[in-house]
Amino acid sequence: MPNRLIAIYPGSFDPLTNGHLDLISRATRVADHLIVAILKNSQKEPLFSTADREDMLREATAHLADVEVDSFEGLLVDYAAKRSANAILRGIRAISDYEIELQMALLNRRLRPQTETIFLMASEEYSFLSSRMVKEVFFLGGDVSPFVPAAVLKRMQSSFPKKR
Ligand code: PNS
């Protein structure tokens, strides 16, 4: 029997965007089980707590089978080992993503060769989108409804009511 593909899609997801969600839904076609894993205790001060980000991810992926939402701290490859994952999934939007993604993939391979990094290309529709841009537009009063899932929009509006 061929190996089951247990893939981890790691990230900050602060917040989840439609680009992330598109990648998650396309990844379910190739992975037998997909673990969307939020990095806890990152150096950067997040806009949303890990618990909030987990809630939003769960709500936005509730319609997808074989998708699990979790969080982790420490090395990604250690988390992959703990979860018996054989792949790390990352999205690439443009050439500008390539360099850092290559660096991470090679480092992770050196740390744990059993875990393969798999890249999916972001849909062209979302290739300009990032969590950082969504936050900037939102806090400058712009409409982010085309860029984030409904669960995220709702949470952004209720957490920061002075904005849209
Ligand atoms: O959404 P992001 O911020 O681009 O995700 C970056 C992430 C979480 C994939 C990366 O920072 C990570 O894996 N951090 C965990 C610590 C680690 O394993 N570092 C070494 C490999 S980069």
Side-chain angles (χ1 to χ4, degrees):
M1 194 177 114
N3 270 351
R4 268 168 56 80
L5 182 63
I6 301 173
I8 295 178
Y9 179 32
S12 306
F13 305 107
D14 187 38
L16 174 75
T17 68
N18 284 339
H20 295 127
L21 192 56
D22 170 66
L23 207 86
I24 292 168
S25 71
R26 284 193 290 120
T28 60
R29 294 191 214 137
V30 288
D32 295 295
H33 185 67
L34 182 68
I35 304 165
V36 184
I38 302 166
L39 175 66
K40 279 197 265 196
N41 299 340
S42 114
Q43 308 279 35
K44 5 176 196 173
E45 186 60 40
L47 181 63
F48 289 104
S49 69
T50 308
D52 279 352
R53 284 179 276 159
E54 282 195 46
D55 283 351
M56 288 184 269
L57 258 161
R58 286 212 176 89
E59 203 175 324
T61 58
H63 63 292
L64 297 169
D66 297 313
V67 174
E68 175 191 340
V69 177
D70 195 12
S71 54
F72 73 103
E73 50 197 335
L75 277 181
L76 175 58
V77 289
D78 288 344
Y79 176 71
K82 190 175 116 195
R83 298 302 316 267
S84 310
N86 38 22
I88 292 168
L89 180 85
R90 292 287 287 171
I92 291 204
R93 290 164 298 191
I95 283 289
S96 50
D97 284 337
Y98 178 79
E99 209 165 328
I100 180 71
E101 293 300 332
L102 175 70
Q103 213 178 355
M104 286 201 280
L106 295 180
L107 177 60
N108 285 331
R109 185 199 284 163
R110 190 61 76 89
L111 293 171
R112 188 171 192 263
Q114 305 92 306
T115 310
E116 203 61 63
T117 300
I118 298 177
F119 293 105
L120 290 187
M121 295 302 147
S123 299
E124 60 276 20
E125 199 185 338
Y126 302 118
S127 60
F128 62 93
L129 208 51
S130 68
S131 299
R132 189 172 65 80
M133 292 295 183
V134 164
K135 285 182 275 199
E136 184 165 324
V137 170
F138 179 78
F139 285 110
L140 291 173
D143 177 18
V144 295
S145 60
F147 310 138
V148 293
V152 174
L153 184 67
K154 204 171 61 187
R155 186 73 62 118
M156 288 182 91
Q157 288 171 334
S158 63
S159 303
F160 308 99
K162 289 213 178 104
K163 306 293 164 193
R164 285 174 203 208

